[in-house]
Amino acid sequence: MCTANNNDDATTTLLDDYNLTDEQRRIFHAMKKLRNMPDIPGLTDEDILWAVAVGTVGMPSNPTASDLKFHERIIEERVRKYEEAERRYGWFSLQWTKPIMKRLLFNWFCGMLVIDPNLQTSDGSPIQFVHEYYGDESRYPNPEDQTDEWKQEGIELYVLMARSTCRAYPTSTTKGIVSFSDMQDFDWDKYDMGTKERNGDIGSLVPNKLRRMITFHPDDKMRKFYDDMSERSRKKWGFEQYDDFQSAVEGEKDLLPVDELPTFVGGTYKVDILECLKYLFRREPEALALLLETHSEMESSGELPMPKHMQ
């Protein structure tokens, strides 16, 4: 009985930490009692909570019975898909390795997919800052050198990043992530166009919610893609494109911390990349130790990148 009470207390604390509403809590407890669930080793209350949080992003504050039924169906599907997420991508069992950690460090020190815990939207979402960059310092290979092993490593990095982000940033699931991307150095010739196709269905299997995509400095090809999108599609995917940094800041001034945007996307705020990575792994001691070891080795060998936009 004592163990049961302790488990109940831990669950209540978890729900409080994520600031779930009464409706979300009811759905969470209903998901724990689902029948005919596949055996999913590693599934925890927090995994179920992530499914509930992501599945209720956008749910009205006063949901009707119909609203609740709709979102419960989405959430149940997400919970059951954890079995496929583990089978195909190792959502529970995949571990950080030195090669993948090294690739993460190359990405972040080039300004790719950086989250700073000190910066968030006005309503509390984490922001993923991106300077699309495929120069030599990034170690992004030319098309002829993009091996199957490199592509698989990219998938694993995506999955591990999503899982670590869920752990470090509760609001990444309860509110969703906003991305803010400078596209001026995007390289169509070098970029692996198969990336989106290979990663296309991961988001439906793991609790990774991108609520809004803000881009600026598009080229003609990007402008055409945006112009060809319907207003409905733009709204569905939360996609907004601007000509330059200034227009992006003006257009998103009610959402973004416009006085504290990172230097590598055009702002004045200097991001401490290593400290941001330490925060990312604050709940994963083994990954944190691997990060520090890998960073130290790369720093000693002169491998840490420092492209112009990061200086």
Side-chain angles (χ1 to χ4, degrees), residues 64-80:
T64 64
S66 177
D67 291 330
L68 290 171
K69 186 176 181 180
F70 171 77
H71 285 281
E72 282 182 25
R73 187 168 62 250
I74 291 174
I75 293 163
E76 179 176 345
E77 183 178 339
R78 275 195 168 272
V79 172
R80 293 187 184 279

Side-chain angles (χ1 to χ4, degrees), residues 57 115 294:
V57 170
I115 303 177
T294 308

Side-chain angles (χ1 to χ4, degrees), residues 120-123 127 178 180 212 214 240 242 244-261:
Q120 61 181 16
T121 64
S122 57
D123 56 355
I127 308 171
V178 171
F180 187 73
R212 186 162 177 80
I214 305 163
E240 193 62 64
Y242 297 92
D244 50 39
F245 175 78
Q246 289 74 20
S247 58
V249 168
E250 178 62 27
E252 305 292 336
K253 62 184 179 183
D254 293 332
L255 180 67
L256 299 176
V258 294
D259 294 327
E260 293 184 309
L261 295 175

Side-chain angles (χ1 to χ4, degrees), residues 35 38 98 100 103 115 122 129 150 202 217 259 264 269 287:
R35 297 180 179 180
K98 185 160 287 188
I100 296 177
R103 186 159 167 177
I115 303 177
S122 57
F129 294 101
W150 176 82
I202 297 179
H217 288 144
D259 294 327
F264 61 85
Y269 177 84

Side-chain angles (χ1 to χ4, degrees), residues 71-241:
H71 285 281
E72 282 182 25
R73 187 168 62 250
I74 291 174
I75 293 163
E76 179 176 345
E77 183 178 339
R78 275 195 168 272
V79 172
R80 293 187 184 279
K81 280 186 174 181
Y82 272 132
E83 187 274 336
E84 185 179 354
E86 169 59 22
R87 175 171 49 82
R88 294 178 58 188
Y89 301 111
W91 174 253
F92 301 104
S93 59
L94 189 64
Q95 299 298 314
W96 286 94
T97 63
K98 185 160 287 188
I100 296 177
M101 186 64 74
K102 196 170 184 178
R103 186 159 167 177
L104 175 72
L105 281 159
F106 275 118
N107 285 354
W108 278 48
F109 274 84
C110 285
M112 296 279 282
L113 304 175
V114 175
I115 303 177
D116 188 318
N118 298 310
L119 305 178
Q120 61 181 16
T121 64
S122 57
D123 56 355
S125 283
I127 308 171
Q128 207 165 47
F129 294 101
V130 184
H131 187 112
E132 290 280 358
Y133 178 73
Y134 306 100
D136 292 341
E137 297 99 322
S138 72
R139 298 290 179 91
Y140 197 94
N142 291 318
E144 63 272 16
D145 298 319
Q146 294 171 4
T147 64
D148 289 342
E149 181 183 7
W150 176 82
K151 292 173 183 177
Q152 179 60 34
E153 189 180 79
I155 293 173
E156 293 176 2
L157 175 57
Y158 182 105
V159 172
L160 287 165
M161 263 288 296
R163 192 178 68 194
S164 293
T165 300
C166 287
R167 289 174 175 166
Y169 294 91
T171 53
S172 69
T173 53
T174 58
K175 295 180 180 294
I177 298 170
V178 171
S179 68
F180 187 73
S181 303
D182 185 345
M183 308 299 291
Q184 64 179 305
D185 290 326
F186 187 84
D187 188 338
W188 288 102
D189 292 330
K190 200 169 187 180
Y191 179 69
D192 172 25
M193 296 305 294
T195 299
K196 293 187 181 298
E197 182 178 346
R198 287 192 298 275
N199 296 347
D201 64 344
I202 297 179
S204 67
L205 300 178
V206 307
N208 185 39
K209 180 68 175 179
L210 184 62
R211 62 174 271 210
R212 186 162 177 80
M213 296 178 287
I214 305 163
T215 68
F216 57 99
H217 288 144
D219 60 18
D220 291 342
K221 190 172 182 178
M222 296 173 194
R223 285 192 177 90
K224 184 177 187 309
F225 175 80
Y226 181 77
D227 291 341
D228 288 346
M229 289 182 73
S230 67
E231 189 65 32
R232 182 178 180 182
S233 293
R234 293 178 194 169
K235 185 175 181 180
K236 177 182 177 181
W237 300 109
F239 182 35
E240 193 62 64
Q241 183 171 271

Side-chain angles (χ1 to χ4, degrees), residues 20-87:
L20 295 194
T21 65
D22 290 341
E23 290 83 2
Q24 289 173 315
R25 291 169 189 249
R26 186 188 63 75
I27 296 173
F28 167 82
H29 288 295
M31 292 301 110
K32 290 192 66 175
K33 298 176 183 177
L34 284 176
R35 297 180 179 180
N36 302 317
M37 275 288 291
D39 182 29
I40 308 176
L43 183 70
T44 67
D45 281 357
E46 192 164 25
D47 293 298
I48 296 173
L49 186 153
W50 289 340
V52 172
V54 169
T56 50
V57 170
M59 186 173 76
S61 55
N62 294 303
T64 64
S66 177
D67 291 330
L68 290 171
K69 186 176 181 180
F70 171 77
H71 285 281
E72 282 182 25
R73 187 168 62 250
I74 291 174
I75 293 163
E76 179 176 345
E77 183 178 339
R78 275 195 168 272
V79 172
R80 293 187 184 279
K81 280 186 174 181
Y82 272 132
E83 187 274 336
E84 185 179 354
E86 169 59 22
R87 175 171 49 82

